[in-house]
Amino acid sequence: MEIEILSASGSKPLGKIQLKEDATVQDVKDKIYRNLKKSLYPDRQAVKLEAKGKTLKDEESLKSLNVQNGAKLYVKDLGPQISWKNVFLAEYAGPLFVYLWVYQRPWLVYGSQSSSPGTVASVAAICWSGHYAKRLLETLFVHRFSHGTMPLRNLFRNCGYYWLFTLYVAYHINHPLYTPPSDTWFYVGLTGFVLCELGNLSIHILLKNLRPPGTKVRRIPVPDGNPFSSLFNFVSCPNYTYEFGSWLFFTIMTKCAPAGLFAAAGFYQMAVWAIGKHRNYKKEFPDYPKGRKAILPFIL
Amino acid sequence: MMKTEQLQKKESGSRKDGYVRIYLTCYNLFQFLGYFYVIGVMLSRYAKFGNESLSNVYENVGSTMKLLQLLQFLEVVHPILGFTRGDALIPFVQIFGRMVVLFMNIDVEPRIQTQPVVFFLFFVWSLIETVRYPFYITQIHKKEVFLIKWLRYNLWIPLYPSGFLCEYLIIAHNIPHFEHSKRLTVSLPNSWNFAFHMPTFSRVHIFVLVCAGLFLMKHMYALRKAKLNPKVESKKLK
């Protein structure tokens, strides 16, 4: 069948494409890319039924959408895209290197210094870089991304957030005039941090196993044998709960207010994401467990 | 009937039910009256005392401005609660920026309070708000008053740049004062390991002010084109 393609901005006609009867939205994107506009690779396109309508999913078939011979479809240019994996690698590599660089007490940051950071600052450096090393490894070996790409400008926004916040926190903890807290603060914080990191890793592995390789299947996550995963009985996104816990305990361990600001900013963003995911779960699964909250057990 | 209602609810994307609408109307009306009062005081004092009134504007309307500015923080809370559409981040940046100018630059530094630039800043801020709040009220009730709409999408052209310029002048003027007085500066060591250097903060603030100012004016320009251009309007109706 023949379909006319128009651009969503301004409704300019781009041309016509020939498709088989059982074609999906993905096939439409491929055809637009190959026959009409070489600059619009499939990930860069959003295909819609109307110029300002909803974006159609790749796996939807034209038949189910009632698109027949001679119909019109609109395509929107989403701008240059970059894969999630590359964004993750760039945004997490920064904190690792920036923190370890500031830990050396470089002249550029502190002027000429002869002293070196104390025990608490050294443990903090291990925790911080351990966390981001873990995230890099997870990005490479654990995460399965259901969306392929995101707009390129997100790369700059995300990297700016992580890199600058790292510089800000590291500046205070590695400062020659840094005051370490009492032993109680240090040990409570360190224990909490390590437990939360283990919890976070457990959840990421559980989520990976939830989705069979190469598919976009979605299921309700439930605790497996791992005790850390029992947090799923209380919240929809325990990985975010653990992540926030990590930074809260890191703040306690170092008794550093800027680290607390980082924890608060991260919490706000993760709460927004968690509420969105929680809502999607409830919408998608009618039998979704009632007692679960989004990110904080019993509260939010 | 039910269907159209549901559709409308979906379209607006927020639960503007009766109470919320009443509350938002009251809030916007209060803010409008507040800034209208400020303009009234400033103009009547200028008529009476002439240029002399430029230097004691903070004495006269400073506390009102501080109250109205603090209340504006509710505009960050409204989108979070779902009272209004949109993101909380942009109003947060805008209102936080004004708070810094008002509370951390003007309020703490008596030497800037008597400068005419404060008069101009308050005048510009108040004018922007006396147009913005009535516009919001018309939007809440889905009414369109052409004059208010026209002012909303045109008055920013002279007012936004003048406002940013005044803010810049105040911040820049204060930097040497802060270098010298060490006010608001917190230095290490302290038990919460928190350092804050006001002059550095001000320099970063100026940088952000320039970026955010350009962004905001670009945003208003796009809105203006979309809302006031009859061609686009008629196209939409088709």
Side-chain angles (χ1 to χ4, degrees):
Chain A
M1 57 178 169
E2 194 179 69
I3 303 250
E4 190 179 3
I5 302 294
L6 300 112
S7 87
S9 55
S11 306
K12 251 194 353 228
L14 291 178
K16 288 178 178 155
I17 51 169
Q18 302 290 334
L19 288 162
K20 285 189 194 134
E21 290 304 316
D22 58 345
T24 61
V25 173
Q26 180 67 52
D27 297 328
V28 174
K29 290 185 178 176
D30 285 339
K31 274 269 157 61
I32 293 173
Y33 166 60
R34 262 184 279 142
N35 300 354
L36 298 181
K37 223 174 168 188
K38 267 282 170 229
S39 63
L40 277 183
Y41 44 90
D43 279 331
R44 211 178 146 156
Q45 302 174 23
V47 172
K48 302 165 178 212
L49 290 172
E50 280 161 60
K52 288 200 172 139
K54 253 174 57 185
T55 302
L56 303 175
K57 287 196 188 105
D58 282 352
E59 57 275 6
E60 284 179 283
S61 75
L62 295 186
K63 211 178 259 168
S64 70
L65 292 163
N66 242 335
V67 176
Q68 282 149 2
N69 190 24
K72 287 176 183 169
L73 283 177
Y74 293 83
V75 62
K76 191 181 170 200
D77 182 4
L78 296 171
Q81 299 287 305
I82 181 169
S83 78
W84 278 70
K85 195 171 192 169
N86 287 337
V87 173
F88 274 32
L89 291 178
E91 69 186 31
Y92 299 151
L96 187 62
F97 292 116
V98 170
Y99 198 101
L100 291 176
W101 174 66
V102 178
Y103 176 69
Q104 316 278 323
R105 294 203 172 155
W107 168 84
L108 197 61
V109 179
Y110 298 116
S112 35
Q113 282 291 331
S114 52
S115 58
S116 53
T119 324
V120 175
S122 300
V123 173
I126 295 170
C127 289
W128 187 283
S129 36
H131 175 86
Y132 285 99
K134 166 179 154 295
R135 278 204 179 176
L136 284 171
L137 293 172
E138 283 173 344
T139 304
L140 289 173
F141 303 113
V142 180
H143 291 323
R144 286 198 184 120
F145 298 99
S146 62
H147 302 283
T149 63
M150 63 165 102
L152 183 62
R153 77 188 116 83
N154 286 10
L155 174 72
F156 302 102
R157 191 195 60 193
N158 292 14
C159 286
Y161 173 82
Y162 279 105
W163 296 29
L164 291 176
F165 239 130
T166 301
L167 186 65
Y168 179 63
V169 174
Y171 170 82
H172 289 88
I173 296 178
N174 296 302
H175 200 281
L177 296 174
Y178 169 76
T179 317
S182 70
D183 279 358
T184 324
W185 285 71
F186 174 72
Y187 285 113
V188 168
L190 181 59
T191 316
F193 180 85
V194 172
L195 289 177
C196 286
E197 287 292 291
L198 290 173
N200 183 267
L201 177 65
S202 312
I203 303 297
H204 284 152
I205 291 174
L206 186 150
L207 289 175
K208 176 210 173 153
N209 293 333
L210 204 61
R211 179 181 293 159
T215 65
K216 291 185 176 183
V217 172
R218 291 169 56 85
R219 275 183 287 183
I220 301 178
V222 285
D224 55 7
N226 185 335
F228 284 114
S229 69
S230 53
L231 199 53
F232 263 123
N233 290 325
F234 303 98
V235 291
S236 293
C237 303
N239 47 328
Y240 294 152
T241 316
Y242 281 125
E243 170 95 29
F244 169 62
S246 286
W247 296 121
L248 189 68
F249 284 113
F250 184 87
T251 306
I252 292 170
M253 178 179 83
T254 55
K255 206 179 178 190
C256 177
L261 284 178
F262 181 59
F267 176 74
Y268 173 77
Q269 182 59 74
M270 288 189 290
V272 171
W273 288 334
I275 289 168
K277 287 186 185 185
H278 183 64
R279 198 181 293 140
N280 283 346
Y281 277 136
K282 281 200 293 194
K283 220 163 63 183
E284 199 172 342
F285 306 108
D287 55 337
Y288 196 69
K290 287 253 170 341
R292 286 191 197 181
K293 292 282 177 186
I295 182 168
L296 290 182
F298 312 114
I299 302 170
L300 187 70
Chain B
M1 188 63 202
M2 266 298 279
K3 225 173 185 180
T4 46
E5 250 176 39
Q6 271 174 347
L7 210 71
Q8 263 177 358
K9 219 174 191 180
K10 239 184 191 169
E11 270 182 344
S12 74
S14 54
R15 42 195 165 92
K16 257 186 217 150
D17 37 51
Y19 290 119
V20 172
R21 205 178 287 197
I22 293 170
Y23 159 74
L24 284 177
T25 310
C26 291
Y27 168 77
N28 286 309
L29 190 66
F30 182 86
Q31 287 285 25
F32 165 71
L33 292 175
Y35 284 107
F36 191 73
Y37 163 80
V38 169
I39 289 190
V41 172
M42 286 172 75
L43 286 182
S44 62
R45 288 189 61 85
Y46 185 75
K48 216 170 174 182
F49 302 106
N51 284 348
E52 207 183 299
S53 77
L54 300 188
S55 59
N56 52 24
V57 62
Y58 197 74
E59 228 173 278
N60 292 304
V61 295
S63 47
T64 315
M65 287 298 276
K66 279 193 281 182
L67 172 74
L68 296 171
Q69 192 60 59
L70 277 177
L71 278 176
Q72 274 197 347
F73 216 77
L74 287 170
E75 284 164 52
V76 182
V77 182
H78 292 160
I80 294 176
L81 294 179
F83 286 8
T84 53
R85 259 193 286 176
D87 186 45
L89 190 69
I90 292 169
F92 176 79
V93 172
Q94 259 176 296
I95 291 164
F96 184 73
R98 278 200 189 178
M99 292 253 201
V100 171
V101 173
L102 185 56
F103 288 93
M104 293 171 69
N105 278 284
I106 304 175
D107 198 50
V108 298
E109 185 50 69
R111 277 170 287 188
I112 199 89
Q113 287 168 11
T114 50
Q115 301 290 329
V117 66
V118 174
F119 182 93
F120 295 121
L121 179 72
F122 281 8
F123 192 70
V124 169
W125 277 1
S126 305
L127 263 183
I128 293 172
E129 305 303 39
T130 43
V131 171
R132 193 165 66 101
Y133 288 112
F135 177 73
Y136 286 167
I137 295 175
T138 61
Q139 277 207 320
I140 293 167
H141 297 276
K142 301 203 165 68
K143 295 260 159 38
E144 208 183 288
V145 180
F146 183 75
L147 179 70
I148 295 178
K149 188 177 158 188
W150 190 87
L151 285 173
R152 167 71 181 150
Y153 291 117
N154 280 298
L155 220 53
W156 65 270
I157 299 171
L159 291 184
Y160 277 24
S162 346
F164 296 137
L165 182 67
C166 290
E167 291 184 37
Y168 163 75
L169 288 173
I170 289 170
I171 300 164
H173 185 94
N174 264 350
I175 290 178
H177 291 326
F178 283 129
E179 293 270 17
H180 188 248
S181 71
K182 302 258 186 310
R183 275 207 79 168
L184 301 177
T185 291
V186 179
S187 351
L188 292 174
N190 55 57
S191 76
W192 274 100
N193 291 298
F194 177 73
F196 184 79
H197 190 239
M198 187 58 191
T200 307
F201 180 79
S202 290
R203 288 185 189 109
V204 175
H205 187 174
I206 288 174
F207 175 73
V208 174
L209 186 71
V210 172
C211 299
L214 289 175
F215 168 81
L216 211 61
M217 291 198 281
K218 226 176 101 187
H219 174 71
M220 288 303 284
Y221 179 70
L223 272 184
R224 180 180 185 277
K225 238 168 57 179
K227 305 274 175 179
L228 288 185
N229 192 339
K231 265 187 220 156
V232 177
E233 198 85 352
S234 61
K235 216 184 224 171
K236 234 188 199 168
L237 284 174
K238 273 178 199 167

